[in-house]
Amino acid sequence: MSELEAEYRLDYFEEEDFYRKQCPVTGAYFWTRDPDRETCGEPPADDYTFIDNPGFDEEYTLEEMREKFLSFFEEHDHERIDPYPVAANRWRDDVLLTQASIYDFQPLVTSGETPPPANPLTISQPCIRMQDIDNVGKTGRHTMAFEMMAHHAFNAREEAGDKYAYEGEVYWKDETVRLCDEFFESLGADISEITYIEDPWVGGGNAGPAFEVLYRGAELATLVFMSMKQDPDGDYELKDGNTYSPMDTYIVDTGYGLERWTWVSQGTPTVYEAVYPDMIAFLKENAGIEHTDEEEKLIHRAASMSGNLDIDEIDDLSTARAEIADELGVETEKLTSLLRPLEDIYAIADHCRTLAYMFGDGIVPSNVGTGYLARMVLRRTKRLVDNLGVDAPLDELVDMQAERLDYENRDTIRDIVRSEERKYRETLKRGSRRVRQLADDYAGSEESIPVDELIELYDSHGIQPDMVQEIAEERGASVDIPDDFYSLVADRHEQVKASEETTERDERLADLPETDKLYYDDQDRTEFEAVVLDVFEREEGYDVVLDQTMFYPEGGGQPADHGTLSTDDTTVEVSDVQIEGDVILHHTDEDPGKGEFVRGQLDVERRRRLMRHHTATHVIGHAIREVLGDHIRQAGASKGVDRSRLDVTHYERITREEVKQIELVANEFVMRNIPVKQEWPDRHDAEKKHGFDLYQGGIPPGEQIRLIHVGSDVQACGGTHVKRTGDIGSIKVLTTEPVQDGVERVVFAAGNAAIEATQRTEDALYDASEILDVNWEDVPATAERFFTEWKARGKTIDRLKTELAEVRATAGADEIDIGGASAVVQRLDGDADELRATANALVEDGTVAVLGSAAGGSAQFVVGVPDGVAINAGEVVGQLARKVGGGGGGPADFAQGGGPNVDALDETLEEAPDILRTVLNA
């Protein structure tokens, strides 16, 4: 019996004469108008019955279906809102990609902390679900990129009063199901064929009853009623094994898959023909794929059963495909060879749309986070394109989808794809060596190369598993690729790591009021008066709490203010300022006294330097976007008194010419002396007007957020700033460097710090000009000339060393017969290069070389052995080196080593012939 059975017994179901049944195939409980229906409508209980038999009165394109849905809900008193980006980490820090429309409103709206942008509302939200990547192309219905059409209502229980940002009930379960039925009817669906499957939803500590809505074998909607929270004493035990109890807020969270609704309206074999008709036709023609009428019929018949290939529901894809082939009366190999190229084409089309969403919304490929996920999709797509023999450039294929999605940054998207392809080729060259080595390790053994090794090869080198399989089989090793390989890889990177900081709020602060933040009222003010509310002793010094303060606490990449607090009797130094909740703590060296009246004085020079650098961070971020493109996103920042840094997402190294252009744009901003303004608008109003680029520096809480305007640049920011850009003085980029692949660091200085940095550079230049005895303008040319001459002298020295070695090899040393081979044993007090060159010259003449040297204050040996002489040079060097208190080794033909006992060098060389004979005869 369903754990939430009472929650599913709706008045609407009773009014409409629904029947509650249990599916004999899946075991799920479901509701239907059809008294004779036995199965729930979901594969494997039922196949798709709309293929070549569309489920609605008319065929719809994606655009037409989207508008039909949104208009329907507008007519039913919902407000249409614009979709959010697919990069959910633009407005929340706990996830990477937008996987459902409810992500747009988590966690602030769903928790009741802030109101929704409208209530009720309707939206069509682009989403990306990486966990579906291995199903794409196979099941006929899965797409990694999709739009979730939705309607939402945010409710709060009456007894909660005004505790939350919204009150009362908008509508709940009955109205949600009624609206679903009516939308089906508006399309001409036979609503007697609809089934509502009971499937409780759990996630993120919340839960609630939910319906999966099935029509003709396809799940077209999910209706979630988020109304419970995890509670060890809760009355409801759900499928995750936890217990839950009702919460004060309860939310209608629906999802209608745009692509599937369009598919059912057209009745095409798979969802892909309905979503990507032009691209699929292009790829088929390019790859030379044609089918006979008989093959087309078989493809359509197989498509109706493709829902049974969901890797999340089956144990083995090959077995499931064989069962379908058996039911169709064809050989498995024939069906596989017919469908596999089509599945690859479907995946390419879907992946290109995914990449267009990602790059269009500003994601830049890298080794972490959303950047890693984008790189994974691109490399898999590239492999599919190459395997299929499609000769169209990948950037052209992605651009086809970017154009369809109306992205304006298509040139940047193509640049990113081309750059990533180049990096991928370089990575493959390096990684292939590792694959061959690993294959040799497992060759001839009964053990397959482990899945963890496959994932690591992909993670570190971008090597696709089928490529590993090819190389491994050539070298006698085996590989078993799991059907959900790419999902496993995505799982490694899709979860955002929780903060390791678990510091609990100091209980002593619980009863203290919020500190009044004077630094927002007048950022130029550096003195103030306050009352000491409390003083807490620390291991070193004290934490002082004031009723109000001008001291800015560390936060948002800006260090804390320093200064003093003074009473009539004492002055204490403020060396750090932190904020816990709403209470600001001033770290001092002495106790100013609880209840005392104090005068605060900021370190004026430090505050002004920090203000210049913080505003300069906004300016230089704007300049970087102007020069490099709108894909630039802040990936980290740190402001200082002498220099600051800004980390940005970018797919190439920043060139010197680009740095110069960034400086020019930034300083033009400074010279225009633009006012720096702050405002505190409603969060939703700010997001609607300025978008989610507001949150470059982090995501602030609360209904009202502080915005800093520097000309056209607008960001949410809690730091201190100058009044006008002219107050910055100047901005100088000091260095740029890669922090990681896909993230560039720009280090810069502002104001006096910029002048000081420039002076340091000039000092170095003038010092160089004095040393070189030339004017400073001539330093580069002179340095280049000296360097060229130095390299030439080095080559001459190397040549002379080689010639000297050859002379030494042919004169002054007697050859020793060691039993069928000749050897030279000689002390030569030269450096390592001379020893190696002399040894090589002897070996080229067919002579075994044993050379010793005392240069550098230690005994060193080099041993060289010609081809065909059965002496192991490494073994000889090992014995010689041990006699001088050291060690050494190397390959059989050339080795070197040594030790600290120089006094034993000559004696050891005298023993060398015997050692050679011993090793030769061993």
Side-chain angles (χ1 to χ4, degrees), residues 220-465:
L220 294 187
T222 303
L223 315 178
V224 175
F225 305 99
M226 189 190 303
S227 56
M228 292 184 284
K229 61 184 177 183
Q230 196 169 318
D231 179 357
D233 299 320
D235 296 329
Y236 300 98
E237 181 176 346
L238 300 184
K239 55 188 177 184
D240 64 347
N242 294 309
T243 55
Y244 292 81
S245 61
M247 58 186 188
D248 290 342
T249 59
Y250 53 108
I251 297 160
V252 173
D253 170 22
T254 68
Y256 292 64
L258 170 61
E259 290 75 15
R260 293 188 188 179
W261 285 80
T262 303
W263 176 28
V264 171
S265 80
Q266 295 182 21
T268 54
T270 70
V271 70
Y272 316 108
E273 282 94 356
V275 178
Y276 314 111
D278 296 336
M279 190 166 194
I280 287 173
F282 173 84
L283 290 170
K284 280 184 177 180
E285 181 179 357
N286 192 288
I289 295 176
E290 296 180 358
H291 299 118
T292 64
D293 291 343
E294 183 181 346
E295 287 172 336
E296 284 288 350
K297 290 178 182 178
L298 181 58
I299 290 169
H300 283 231
R301 290 171 60 206
S304 67
M305 291 181 278
S306 62
N308 297 314
L309 297 178
D310 187 340
I311 62 170
D312 296 326
E313 306 293 336
I314 59 177
D315 295 327
D316 178 70
L317 182 62
S318 298
T319 301
R321 196 186 296 278
E323 291 173 355
I324 292 176
D326 185 59
E327 191 167 339
L328 294 172
V330 297
E331 294 180 357
T332 303
E333 292 75 12
K334 178 181 178 181
L335 184 64
T336 301
S337 64
L338 189 63
L339 296 181
R340 183 67 59 78
L342 287 176
E343 291 171 354
D344 287 350
I345 283 176
Y346 299 152
I348 291 169
D350 173 76
H351 291 7
C352 285
R353 183 188 187 198
T354 302
L355 292 170
Y357 271 138
M358 287 176 154
F359 300 151
D361 275 353
I363 294 174
V364 173
S366 69
N367 290 329
V368 295
T370 54
Y372 178 89
L373 298 176
R375 174 167 287 167
M376 185 183 85
V377 176
L378 187 144
R379 291 180 173 180
R380 184 171 195 253
T381 310
K382 174 63 176 170
R383 183 72 172 166
L384 290 170
V385 166
D386 290 346
N387 287 350
L388 199 61
V390 174
D391 63 5
L394 183 56
D395 63 290
E396 181 181 316
L397 298 179
V398 175
D399 184 60
M400 290 172 66
Q401 294 300 319
E403 181 181 19
R404 184 179 179 188
L405 294 170
D406 290 328
Y407 280 113
E408 296 179 357
N409 59 337
R410 288 169 54 199
D411 288 342
T412 299
I413 292 173
R414 297 188 73 153
D415 284 345
I416 291 174
V417 175
R418 285 192 289 263
S419 174
E420 271 301 294
E421 282 191 280
R422 174 179 51 77
K423 292 177 183 178
Y424 186 32
R425 287 193 295 270
E426 294 168 355
T427 301
L428 286 179
K429 289 177 184 176
R430 297 192 300 269
S432 297
R433 292 192 294 271
R434 171 61 184 144
V435 178
R436 289 191 290 270
Q437 180 186 0
L438 186 66
D440 289 342
D441 292 342
Y442 284 88
S445 71
E446 295 182 2
E447 186 181 356
S448 297
I449 295 177
V451 173
D452 284 347
E453 290 280 10
L454 294 180
I455 293 176
E456 187 59 35
L457 282 169
Y458 185 85
D459 253 0
S460 301
H461 303 289
I463 306 294
Q464 309 282 337

Side-chain angles (χ1 to χ4, degrees), residues 631-855:
H631 63 282
I632 294 292
R633 296 281 181 277
Q634 181 175 317
S638 177
K639 296 88 180 178
V641 293
D642 296 319
R643 59 174 54 194
S644 294
R645 64 170 172 81
L646 182 64
D647 297 341
V648 297
T649 56
H650 188 49
Y651 52 90
E652 297 281 11
R653 288 300 321 275
I654 300 176
T655 67
R656 176 60 188 156
E657 287 304 312
E658 288 168 338
V659 168
K660 290 160 67 175
Q661 190 62 31
I662 289 166
E663 283 185 332
L664 287 173
V665 173
N667 283 288
E668 172 65 23
F669 232 60
V670 171
M671 289 186 290
R672 284 166 55 194
N673 201 25
I674 300 168
V676 179
K677 301 175 181 177
Q678 68 170 343
E679 65 165 327
W680 293 82
D682 174 83
R683 168 185 295 274
H684 295 302
D685 291 343
E687 290 174 351
K688 189 172 184 179
K689 184 175 181 179
H690 303 291
F692 295 101
D693 282 347
L694 284 175
Y695 304 134
Q696 296 274 340
I699 303 147
E703 289 187 44
Q704 273 70 45
I705 58 176
R706 181 176 183 248
L707 299 186
I708 295 296
H709 295 253
V710 187
S712 59
D713 183 84
V714 184
Q715 293 188 43
C717 179
T720 58
H721 292 270
V722 298
K723 285 186 175 179
R724 305 183 74 91
T725 58
D727 298 335
I728 296 172
S730 61
I731 297 174
K732 179 65 181 173
V733 175
L734 306 181
T735 61
T736 64
E737 60 182 352
V739 179
Q740 63 192 41
D741 193 19
V743 177
E744 292 286 305
R745 172 165 293 171
V746 179
V747 181
F748 61 95
N752 291 344
I755 296 172
E756 292 161 3
T758 302
Q759 289 172 341
R760 287 193 298 270
T761 302
E762 289 176 343
D763 287 344
L765 180 60
Y766 284 117
D767 288 346
S769 71
E770 283 187 27
I771 293 169
L772 297 173
D773 194 24
V774 296
N775 293 328
W776 66 265
E777 299 98 327
D778 299 325
V779 167
T782 304
E784 184 179 18
R785 177 168 56 83
F786 280 7
F787 182 66
T788 302
E789 291 174 357
W790 174 77
K791 285 199 298 182
R793 287 192 182 99
K795 291 178 181 178
T796 300
I797 291 169
D798 290 341
R799 177 176 56 79
L800 292 173
K801 282 184 178 180
T802 301
E803 292 174 359
L804 180 60
E806 291 172 353
V807 171
R808 284 172 171 165
T810 57
D814 296 329
E815 292 189 3
I816 304 167
D817 183 12
I818 54 172
S822 61
V824 169
V825 178
Q826 184 180 11
R827 175 168 174 166
L828 176 64
D829 288 330
D831 60 26
D833 290 340
E834 291 180 74
L835 291 180
R836 283 193 292 268
T838 303
N840 286 332
L842 289 165
V843 169
E844 286 176 6
D845 287 340
T847 303
V848 176
V850 178
L851 305 178
S853 171

Side-chain angles (χ1 to χ4, degrees), residues 427-611:
T427 301
L428 286 179
K429 289 177 184 176
R430 297 192 300 269
S432 297
R433 292 192 294 271
R434 171 61 184 144
V435 178
R436 289 191 290 270
Q437 180 186 0
L438 186 66
D440 289 342
D441 292 342
Y442 284 88
S445 71
E446 295 182 2
E447 186 181 356
S448 297
I449 295 177
V451 173
D452 284 347
E453 290 280 10
L454 294 180
I455 293 176
E456 187 59 35
L457 282 169
Y458 185 85
D459 253 0
S460 301
H461 303 289
I463 306 294
Q464 309 282 337
D466 57 337
M467 183 178 175
V468 179
Q469 190 172 47
E470 290 174 14
I471 296 174
E473 288 175 354
E474 290 172 0
R475 305 175 90 86
S478 61
V479 174
D480 291 325
I481 304 172
D483 295 329
D484 60 346
F485 174 80
Y486 289 96
S487 298
L488 296 173
V489 175
D491 286 343
R492 272 193 173 192
H493 297 268
E494 201 166 18
Q495 298 301 318
V496 176
K497 292 182 179 179
S499 171
E500 295 181 2
E501 296 180 9
T502 56
T503 306
E504 295 184 3
R505 178 178 166 86
D506 194 323
E507 291 298 323
R508 298 172 299 178
L509 307 181
D511 297 327
L512 290 172
E514 177 182 352
T515 307
D516 189 7
K517 303 176 182 67
L518 301 177
Y519 47 80
Y520 285 145
D521 299 333
D522 183 358
Q523 296 175 86
D524 285 329
R525 183 177 165 193
T526 58
E527 297 180 10
F528 68 100
E529 296 175 339
V531 175
V532 178
L533 299 182
D534 215 332
V535 179
F536 306 116
E537 190 169 357
R538 309 170 63 222
E539 287 186 12
E540 295 183 6
Y542 300 84
D543 280 338
V544 178
V545 179
L546 307 175
D547 64 333
Q548 59 181 10
T549 187
M550 281 298 303
F551 283 93
Y552 180 80
E554 180 182 5
Q558 179 174 327
D561 284 329
H562 293 176
T564 60
L565 295 175
S566 301
T567 67
D568 291 339
D569 300 321
T570 187
T571 296
V572 300
E573 295 288 335
V574 178
S575 58
D576 190 19
V577 185
Q578 299 292 324
I579 186 168
E580 284 197 29
D582 294 323
V583 178
I584 294 176
L585 304 174
H586 305 74
H587 298 341
T588 64
D589 58 343
E590 298 290 342
D591 181 355
K594 181 176 179 179
E596 288 288 336
F597 183 82
V598 295
R599 294 178 298 278
Q601 172 64 60
L602 271 61
D603 180 332
V604 177
E605 179 62 18
R606 177 182 173 86
R607 160 63 79 87
R608 287 178 179 164
R609 280 181 172 246
L610 289 171
M611 289 167 64

